[in-house]
Amino acid sequence: MILLSYGMSLGFVTIAIPALEAQAGNATNQTASVTLSKPQISWFGSINWIMVAVGGIVSGPFATPWGRRPAMIAVNFCFVVGYLVFYMAESVPVLYLAQAACGFGGGLLEAPVLTYIAEIAEPHLRGAMSASTTAVLILGLFIDFSLGSVLDWRTVALVNIIAPVAAVISLCFVPESPHWLMGQGRVEDARRALCWLRGWTKPEDVATEMSLLERTLNQTEKKPSALPTLSQLRKRTFLIPFSLVVYAFFIGHWSGMTPLQTFAVSIFTTVGTPINKYYATVLIGLVELTGTVACVALVHYTGKRPLALMSTLGAGVCFVVAATYVHVVGEALPDSDTSGPYAWLPMAALVISAFISHTGIRILPWMLIGEVYTPDVKGFASGASGCAGYVIGFFANKSFFFLQEQLTLPGTFWLYGAVALSGTVIMYFYLPETEGHALHEILEHFNGERVLRSKGGKKTDGDCEKWASDNRAMDTVSPDHVRSRSESRL
């Protein structure tokens, strides 16, 4: 529900831009006193990304001392304030303020939401649960695309308030992370939370996991610091995963999907579509949602590497095709006939790129965040990764009109295609396969002790422990201990 709120804020920008731009060009048809010029539209479409980066910096320290659930509840107030300010906005600075509030909330949610999911997830569900967060975010974006095709943008802002209110209510019924509770010395609360999360089971059914958590607490400080030390940040097990996640963000944003998602109506107006440009934008949201759901369904079976490589290759080809068509045929003129035999080609290429990107590269960094970092830096690293990703997204969005002026739209699309295709090559050599592998195996990969290139083996019911993916005990217990414990159970 939290990510639904943030997704709706992203979709809201897309539907508000053409309405505000149309008002600026037609003073007799204004429904409000606020209008946006071309440079202001560029800032309006990008300012939330930079504020998400600011929220991401605060996110890790914010989530650690207060707990995951209180932090997730607090995030929703940013969205409520943002949507209310949108509804009442009568000037450009106020619109910027509303965007900043929603963007800050989007950054603030990174560490508590992603860390909470990683800490409660069972290993065989980790990839699907991480991918489902993006699916819900895209669902929010699609909902606002759809609402914007039938409602005024101010009315949509009011409707959007329902999502954060529902999120606060929902969070009252879920437990705090057992790992955070154990770190605070609240053992009984952690046991109750773990029983709830494992299906309202009995304490004896989670005794093994609890004992391993308690054993780990004897080896580490009970209340971990919100910020890691400099020596922790210098370790190979932080630097390499962090670089990988940031690069995945770079490919995801600069392969063209971020500007397409934000300026879809403007882009479809330029390339021409055989259907209404607003319906084409709704179609973009629909295929993004479908692609994300496909990723959730497939990642457990295919692994992350094949999906990521396929998506970057496919997106690159699609943008090259769209760029070549617009270069050869030319940009569409206002009110021109776009019903020719190949008029559907650029729209189809962009729609396919939206689908294929969301089956892999657009979701990949979010899945990696929950599993590539060690527990001692996870809170900080999750927020810092999200911060870096949104800074990259800000520049991808903010530079779109500048690149279009300097390189033309076909040149800009060729650039996006080249970035995606180069990402396919680089990630083929450097992206490990984390799906199906325990966290200690992923740690060993980044430590140079093993190479992960294929999906982990499928465990049988007898072998699959109901452990959370981020259980610190799993990272510290030795393989001999695991083997001896399994033998004793048999």
Side-chain angles (χ1 to χ4, degrees):
M1 295 303 298
I2 299 172
L3 287 162
L4 186 71
S5 299
Y6 181 51
M8 293 171 81
S9 74
L10 295 177
F12 180 81
V13 178
T14 304
I15 66 170
I17 284 176
L20 294 167
E21 187 178 24
Q23 291 170 7
N26 187 0
T28 62
N29 193 31
Q30 289 185 344
T31 59
S33 59
V34 58
T35 61
L36 293 176
S37 65
K38 203 75 170 181
Q40 289 171 336
I41 289 174
S42 177
W43 278 108
F44 183 64
S46 306
I47 196 171
N48 65 323
W49 293 94
I50 200 67
M51 288 306 299
V52 169
V54 175
I57 296 173
V58 181
S59 182
F62 173 72
T64 301
W66 302 105
R68 316 305 189 209
R69 191 175 70 164
M72 289 189 289
I73 290 175
V75 163
N76 291 281
F77 292 99
C78 296
F79 296 117
V80 172
V81 170
Y83 293 139
L84 286 175
V85 174
F86 269 130
Y87 178 74
M88 298 182 293
E90 296 293 338
S91 66
V92 174
V94 175
L95 284 174
Y96 289 167
L97 178 63
Q99 271 287 72
C102 290
F104 184 75
L108 205 59
L109 66 82
E110 299 295 345
V113 170
L114 296 177
T115 303
Y116 184 82
I117 291 172
E119 288 177 344
I120 69 171
E122 295 169 355
H124 63 289
L125 299 175
R126 186 175 66 219
M129 289 186 69
S130 298
S132 68
T133 61
T134 305
V136 175
L137 189 148
I138 298 300
L139 174 62
L141 186 142
F142 171 67
I143 289 173
D144 261 35
F145 282 180
S146 303
L147 291 174
S149 66
V150 295
L151 297 175
D152 175 75
W153 63 275
R154 291 187 187 273
T155 305
V156 175
L158 278 184
V159 174
N160 284 357
I161 295 177
I162 296 174
V165 172
V168 172
I169 296 173
S170 301
L171 284 165
C172 294
F173 295 93
V174 300
E176 178 58 82
S177 163
H179 303 283
W180 184 86
L181 292 170
M182 288 291 289
Q184 303 299 309
R186 297 164 57 180
V187 178
E188 289 304 316
D189 290 338
R191 182 177 287 108
R192 284 192 292 269
L194 200 56
C195 288
W196 193 98
L197 291 165
R198 295 297 173 260
W200 304 286
T201 187
K202 298 178 182 179
E204 53 265 29
D205 295 326
V206 297
T208 300
E209 188 170 356
M210 284 297 299
S211 65
L212 290 172
L213 282 172
E214 291 173 335
R215 178 179 176 181
T216 304
L217 286 176
N218 295 327
Q219 303 171 357
T220 59
E221 54 181 347
K222 290 192 175 183
K223 294 185 179 181
S225 173
L227 292 173
T229 63
L230 186 59
S231 62
Q232 289 173 320
L233 298 181
R234 288 175 176 172
K235 290 182 178 179
R236 176 189 177 100
T237 50
F238 169 78
L239 292 176
I240 295 181
F242 183 77
S243 300
L244 179 65
V245 172
V246 170
Y247 181 72
F249 273 123
F250 173 78
I251 297 299
H253 287 301
W254 279 87
S255 59
M257 278 314 304
T258 298
L260 174 61
Q261 188 172 280
T262 304
F263 306 112
V265 177
S266 174
I267 290 174
F268 283 131
T269 301
T270 302
V271 304
T273 61
I275 62 175
N276 182 282
K277 58 187 177 182
Y278 291 97
Y279 295 157
T281 301
V282 173
L283 184 59
I284 286 287
L286 178 62
V287 298
E288 287 180 355
L289 176 61
T290 306
T292 307
V293 172
C295 179
V296 174
L298 293 174
V299 67
H300 178 64
Y301 302 98
T302 64
K304 299 182 181 68
R305 265 177 61 88
L307 290 179
L309 298 176
M310 176 270 299
S311 68
T312 52
L313 177 63
V317 171
C318 286
F319 270 95
V320 169
V321 169
T324 304
Y325 176 91
V326 177
H327 176 72
V328 173
V329 177
E331 297 180 358
L333 298 175
D335 302 321
S336 62
D337 181 18
T338 54
S339 58
Y342 299 104
W344 54 268
L345 185 59
M347 186 192 77
L350 295 177
V351 168
I352 293 172
S353 73
F355 171 81
I356 204 167
S357 295
H358 285 79
T359 60
I361 189 60
R362 293 285 284 180
I363 306 178
L364 176 67
W366 302 112
M367 292 190 289
L368 292 178
I369 282 177
E371 56 189 9
V372 298
Y373 296 121
T374 55
D376 55 340
V377 300
K378 184 179 287 291
F380 169 82
S382 298
S385 299
C387 170
Y390 284 112
V391 168
I392 295 170
F394 167 78
F395 284 108
N397 250 10
K398 191 69 178 67
S399 64
F400 174 71
F401 289 121
F402 172 79
L403 291 174
Q404 188 176 355
E405 291 176 359
Q406 300 297 317
L407 304 176
T408 72
L409 186 63
T412 304
F413 279 3
W414 275 322
L415 174 63
Y416 293 154
V419 170
L421 294 175
S422 65
T424 305
V425 176
I426 293 175
M427 287 196 294
Y428 176 82
F429 291 102
Y430 293 103
L431 178 66
E433 179 55 79
T434 59
E435 187 66 22
H437 291 282
L439 291 189
H440 73 271
E441 294 177 320
I442 300 173
L443 174 62
E444 289 171 357
H445 169 86
F446 290 117
N447 223 7
E449 299 173 13
R450 69 165 67 207
V451 177
L452 301 180
R453 285 289 181 266
S454 59
K455 194 171 77 72
K458 185 176 180 181
K459 294 180 174 62
T460 64
D461 291 339
D463 295 331
C464 184
E465 292 287 356
K466 302 299 184 181
W467 291 340
S469 68
D470 195 27
N471 189 334
R472 295 179 181 180
M474 289 183 66
D475 295 324
T476 57
V477 68
S478 67
D480 291 336
H481 174 73
V482 174
R483 185 161 49 249
S484 63
R485 181 170 51 78
S486 301
E487 291 171 353
S488 66
R489 289 182 60 198
L490 292 175

